[in-house]
Amino acid sequence: MTLIKAAVAHAFGQPLSIEEVELAHPKPGEVEVTLDACAICHSDITYLDGGWGGSLPAVYGHEAAGRISRLGDGVTGLKPGDAVVVTLIRSCGTCASCCTGRPTGCETAYDGDKGPLSMPDGSKLHQAMASGAFAERVVVAQTQVVKIGDDIPMDVASLIACGVITGVGAVVNAAQMRPGQDAVVIGAGGVGLNAIQGARIAGARRIVAVDMLPEKLDIAMEFGATHGVLATGETPWVEAQQALGRGADAVFVTVGAAGAYTTAPNYLASGGKVIMVGMPATGAASSYEAGNLAAASQAMIGSKMGDVVIQRDIPWIVDLYRQGRLKLDELISAHWSLEQINEAIADTKTGSAKRNVILFK
Ligand SMILES: [Zn+2]
Ligand SMILES: [Zn+2]
């Protein structure tokens, strides 16, 4: 056991409290990572607000980077001191999904209640999203981490763990966009900006960003959007289709609002696909006209974590960053200490486009 400082959620909708908690040593196949950075994702906030339920008390945080500080038995290819990105994608490697190249759909359940965290009195502390990264250290499966070079700043590396792979992966893995195709990205936040960058890298002809705030459309243009459309109008899809000259081949919904899913098919060209990335709260439903989708050979496709294979896709993304082809520094709005986490979360809730990052040193 190691005593670490963590931001603990005791009740939904309440501020986190910074406390000392116990972290067990890694089991076989697991590693301990001493974190340098953890970004705040909207998924953390949905959980913290109780939108998806779950066990309490809990430690959230799942977009992290740090250095290996302890190895469980049987771990190969990593050593103490290695810089790694820590993701929430815990994959067994042997289930049907893992064996068919879809580790994000791993069918082997992981119970965060039986994870490495506990309160100092020995009572249960839930490791949320198989990570618990609003803490100085995490213990996770080796399959959740990817080694990166020492040249990548840790704040930047933390973003790769979730928002970046989710946005870029939705384009290249879920939509499988080809050069010359047209994209619409609904929501120009942390994930949306990465879907925009992904579409640019994939060779999209035109990329329309759709958002409620004009300043976020300006940022979207800096990340590669060719047009911006305000979502506050009656029929933003008409403006988007005017910008494209047609409907879109791929529409990425990167916000967790059920209403955005209801209108997303309106942006599509014949044969186009809606890629469903943002996750509304449990129970939130949206509707669409099935006949229209059938008549135009259109599809709605869910995409969890960009359908990434982290060991394949993260080294590629890191190289894109090194070569100046992927903007990551520009995604960070501010740095905060762990003690400031409630302020950082409040700032993220204002809907600002970019990521707030907790630094542990
Ligand atoms: Zn996330
Ligand atoms: Zn599996």
Side-chain angles (χ1 to χ4, degrees):
M1 288 277 188
T2 313
L3 211 54
I4 59 163
K5 220 165 29 167
V8 180
H10 288 282
F12 294 127
Q14 295 298 312
L16 300 177
S17 87
I18 309 299
E19 297 172 23
E20 299 223 298
V21 302
E22 298 275 10
L23 182 70
H25 289 172
K27 293 180 186 152
E30 293 181 336
V31 295
E32 180 191 270
V33 182
T34 298
L35 297 183
D36 287 281
C38 182
I40 295 168
C41 174
H42 285 280
S43 299
D44 294 311
I45 291 175
T46 304
Y47 267 119
L48 287 169
D49 287 344
W52 292 331
S55 277
L56 290 175
V59 178
Y60 292 95
H62 62 278
E63 202 167 308
R67 288 184 186 276
I68 298 282
S69 46
R70 208 181 281 267
L71 298 176
D73 289 342
V75 172
T76 55
L78 291 169
K79 60 181 188 309
D82 283 348
V84 292
V85 170
V86 182
T87 76
L88 60 78
I89 304 166
R90 191 173 174 118
S91 55
C92 72
T94 55
C95 73
S97 287
C98 286
C99 288
T100 50
R102 292 188 54 253
T104 56
C106 179
E107 294 161 38
T108 303
Y110 174 72
D111 183 356
D113 281 348
K114 300 193 174 93
L117 291 168
S118 55
M119 299 301 284
D121 65 2
S123 63
K124 170 188 79 109
L125 176 58
H126 183 74
Q127 183 194 34
M129 290 170 273
S131 302
F134 290 155
E136 292 173 314
R137 298 181 190 209
V138 293
V139 166
V140 297
Q142 176 179 9
T143 56
Q144 292 175 250
V145 310
V146 178
K147 192 173 159 180
I148 55 170
D150 288 327
D151 58 324
I152 309 300
M154 284 292 184
D155 55 350
V156 159
S158 72
L159 305 181
I160 296 173
C162 177
V164 176
I165 55 179
T166 299
V168 174
V171 173
V172 299
N173 295 327
Q176 302 194 344
M177 280 196 79
R178 293 195 311 273
Q181 290 191 316
D182 289 315
V184 167
V185 178
I186 299 174
V191 173
L193 292 176
N194 285 298
I196 288 167
Q197 305 204 77
R200 172 171 52 75
I201 291 160
R205 187 183 71 121
R206 290 181 182 169
I207 305 166
V208 179
V210 181
D211 201 282
M212 308 289 277
L213 299 172
E215 58 269 28
K216 287 169 81 173
L217 294 180
D218 293 340
I219 296 169
M221 304 289 278
E222 290 164 23
F223 279 76
T226 60
H227 300 77
V229 169
L230 269 177
T232 47
E234 289 265 293
T235 53
W237 47 90
V238 173
E239 274 181 75
Q241 297 218 7
Q242 280 166 354
L244 295 173
R246 60 193 289 271
D249 299 296
V251 175
F252 301 90
V253 181
T254 69
V255 295
Y261 282 107
T262 300
T263 55
N266 298 345
Y267 293 85
L268 287 175
S270 177
K273 307 169 198 169
V274 172
I275 312 300
M276 308 164 75
V277 182
M279 291 195 286
T282 304
S286 57
S287 61
Y288 54 89
E289 251 187 89
N292 288 350
L293 291 170
S297 297
Q298 293 163 337
M300 295 188 77
I301 301 170
S303 175
K304 181 187 179 188
M305 300 298 294
D307 298 289
V308 290
V309 177
I310 59 171
Q311 305 294 349
R312 175 193 69 195
D313 294 332
I314 288 182
W316 171 61
I317 283 168
V318 167
D319 262 357
L320 289 172
Y321 169 73
R322 281 196 184 104
Q323 297 161 9
R325 297 160 69 194
L326 191 75
K327 289 178 192 285
L328 297 183
D329 297 280
E330 296 84 347
L331 283 168
I332 298 171
S333 60
H335 298 103
W336 308 76
S337 68
L338 185 62
E339 284 71 20
Q340 294 172 310
I341 191 165
N342 291 308
E343 292 160 68
I345 288 169
D347 186 76
T348 301
K349 281 187 180 179
T350 63
S352 64
K354 299 180 183 181
R355 280 292 204 253
N356 283 303
V357 181
I358 306 293
L359 294 180
F360 292 92
K361 290 184 197 100

